Amino acid sequence: MKAVVYHDKGDIRLEEVTDPTIDQPTDAIVRLTASAICGTDLHFVRGSFAGMEPGTILGHEGVGIVEQVGPLVRNFRPGDRVVIGSTIACGYCSYCRAGYFAQCDNANPHGKRSGTAFFGGPGPTGPWNGLQAEKARIPYAHIGMVKIPDSVTDDQAILVSDIFPTGYFGADLADIHEGSTVAVFGCGPVGQFVIASARLMGAGRIIAVDHHPDRLKMAQQQGAEVVNFDNEGPVQTIVEMTGGIGVDRAIDAVGVDAEHAHHHAAASDNLRTALDSAAHAVEPEVTDAGPHAYTPGDAPGQALDWAVQALAKAGTLSIIGVYPPTQREFPIGEAMNKNLTIKMGNCNHRKYIPHLLDLIASGVIDPLKVLTKTEPMGSVIAAYEAFDARRPGWLKVELKPGAD
Ligand SMILES: [Zn+2]
């Protein structure tokens, strides 16, 4: 089968690999009909998250058809259409039973205290082969897969694999009530779903902070009040907008998923060559080469600083932006002296997926407004590059395995 395989920093290849097989009685084999590229994948490819092992299949978002189930998978049969949650969890340990699927005791082979396990990640997270492939082995399939209602399309369901649940998780952690005034820092795909989720939870006002005009436009279309930090100080503006009080709730949807003014330097010759030889299906224009913040290395916690400053006294901060375990900077003094509540973590995808599928099936929300590009697998390298360059319109990239 074909899969997107990590070889080295900046060197990923679409190549032929061996088909996966059932290894454990709780496994299933799924033939993928949709996958996607996530901002996190770019960190692995650039090397800003260390530890990727050569040979690992990338990707942690997937929708497909069950081909085969192990003897202990009793809730699925071949032919079922399923979405696969990004994080891997056993479904039977005390953490899974409490809904902390991202802190499962059993999914990470390095032990109970070794962190979140997920598809297509670095060695310390498993490594588990990912979902940018024609087929995948799904461990703990009884809990890792969720049946898709007939009325929900693949294009909708792929967004429930990772980014919609992550946005919903961010809003859930923020403890949003009817009438709450909420600020969302970062309006990428996850930030857009934080905004959508805050609306679902009854937020009174949602203030969206970013500097990409296309992202701010999308936030505004969702009903958010937008702040472009290229044009104005976001903290001062938010304080003015809220009568000098600040926001009740703030969500950091940025993390180190930050802008590289020099991201092209991160792509190696291999990736450049692969791109050059691929059809130039995307426009070459790059619009975000500005000198602004969110550059890992010199301002890794900019969004966190702004969030803490923009919060009202006794407000709540939710952190879902991804930070590496080595990150240590946080404005603890200011947060403490404002009596803030701080909640954070990796998304417990499986906790939210069934509910979000129900919301889509019932027409309460259509997540497709965030998905802007669909590419056949043959263009995957070019798609990675366009996504990495944050070209306008490349907010989220879905891949169609099996289509050339
Ligand atoms: Zn577990």
Side-chain angles (χ1 to χ4, degrees):
M1 67 166 187
K2 285 232 164 59
V4 180
V5 179
Y6 177 89
H7 284 265
D8 200 353
K9 276 185 202 177
D11 181 6
I12 56 169
R13 300 177 203 169
L14 178 64
E15 63 189 16
E16 196 65 28
V17 299
T18 313
D19 279 13
T21 53
I22 299 272
D23 181 58
Q24 297 293 318
T26 49
D27 286 350
I29 302 298
V30 169
R31 179 173 56 80
L32 292 152
T33 52
S35 186
I37 303 175
C38 175
T40 314
D41 294 330
L42 298 176
H43 292 295
F44 305 147
V45 174
R46 289 179 191 138
S48 44
F49 267 29
M52 280 303 294
E53 293 182 6
T56 304
I57 297 173
L58 289 165
H60 55 265
E61 292 163 277
V63 164
I65 307 289
V66 176
E67 284 211 328
Q68 199 185 344
V69 294
L72 285 182
V73 180
R74 305 300 177 87
N75 49 346
F76 294 94
R77 62 180 62 223
D80 284 343
R81 199 165 144 258
V82 296
V83 58
I84 300 150
S86 294
T87 45
I88 300 170
C90 75
Y92 48 74
C93 73
S94 61
Y95 284 93
C96 285
R97 290 180 192 204
Y100 286 102
F101 293 101
Q103 298 299 334
C104 175
D105 270 345
N106 298 307
N108 191 322
H110 300 284
K112 292 182 195 308
R113 295 170 58 84
S114 54
T116 305
F118 63 97
F119 290 98
T125 69
W128 292 96
N129 272 328
L131 306 175
Q132 288 167 8
E134 290 185 276
K135 292 183 187 184
R137 173 193 159 214
I138 311 302
Y140 308 110
H142 53 274
I143 198 80
M145 312 191 300
V146 180
K147 261 183 214 169
I148 302 171
D150 289 343
S151 62
V152 175
T153 66
D154 277 14
D155 290 352
Q156 291 173 318
I158 191 67
L159 298 171
V160 181
S161 195
D162 182 23
I163 60 176
F164 191 1
T166 302
Y168 196 89
F169 171 65
D172 188 27
L173 287 184
D175 194 24
I176 292 167
H177 298 285
E178 288 191 357
S180 299
T181 293
V182 179
V184 180
F185 290 86
C187 298
V190 170
Q192 298 293 338
F193 281 115
V194 174
I195 293 168
S197 302
R199 285 185 62 186
L200 288 169
M201 295 170 189
R205 292 178 76 186
I206 302 167
I207 300 170
V209 182
D210 203 295
H211 73 149
H212 291 280
D214 58 332
R215 295 180 174 198
L216 289 170
K217 186 177 165 197
M218 191 175 288
Q220 198 173 51
Q221 282 166 350
Q222 291 206 71
E225 302 169 51
V226 298
V227 174
N228 185 328
F229 66 77
D230 275 356
N231 303 335
E232 54 195 348
V235 174
Q236 188 191 348
T237 304
I238 290 171
V239 171
E240 277 175 19
M241 290 167 77
T242 54
I245 296 171
V247 292
D248 308 311
R249 305 289 185 256
I251 295 111
D252 169 10
V254 178
V256 294
D257 191 10
E259 316 237 331
H260 285 233
H262 304 100
H263 47 70
H264 285 292
S268 79
D269 289 342
N270 278 324
L271 189 49
R272 302 300 308 177
T273 307
L275 170 68
D276 292 342
S277 60
H280 282 271
V282 293
E283 22 174 79
E285 190 184 355
V286 178
T287 58
D288 71 325
H292 299 285
Y294 290 173
T295 303
D298 55 48
Q302 179 66 81
L304 278 179
D305 281 342
W306 285 341
V308 167
Q309 290 167 23
L311 274 161
K313 297 182 288 184
T316 297
L317 171 62
S318 156
I319 306 169
I320 53 165
V322 176
Y323 292 91
T326 47
Q327 185 86 31
R328 300 184 71 85
E329 292 80 10
F330 183 79
I332 188 70
E334 186 170 5
M336 182 270 160
N337 281 290
K338 285 172 83 169
N339 286 40
L340 299 187
T341 297
I342 304 169
K343 294 167 123 181
M344 64 192 112
N346 290 324
C347 180
N348 302 304
H349 294 91
R350 182 54 171 76
K351 179 176 177 181
Y352 302 107
I353 288 173
H355 178 57
L356 297 180
L357 285 172
D358 284 347
L359 290 180
I360 297 167
S362 60
V364 171
I365 185 165
D366 181 3
L368 268 180
K369 286 174 183 166
V370 173
L371 182 75
T372 56
K373 289 284 174 189
T374 302
E375 289 293 310
M377 281 290 269
S379 312
V380 65
I381 304 299
Y384 257 97
E385 183 66 13
F387 187 54
D388 189 25
R390 286 182 164 72
R391 293 194 182 122
W394 286 82
L395 197 52
K396 185 68 191 173
V397 181
E398 179 183 359
L399 301 170
K400 297 280 192 185
D404 292 319

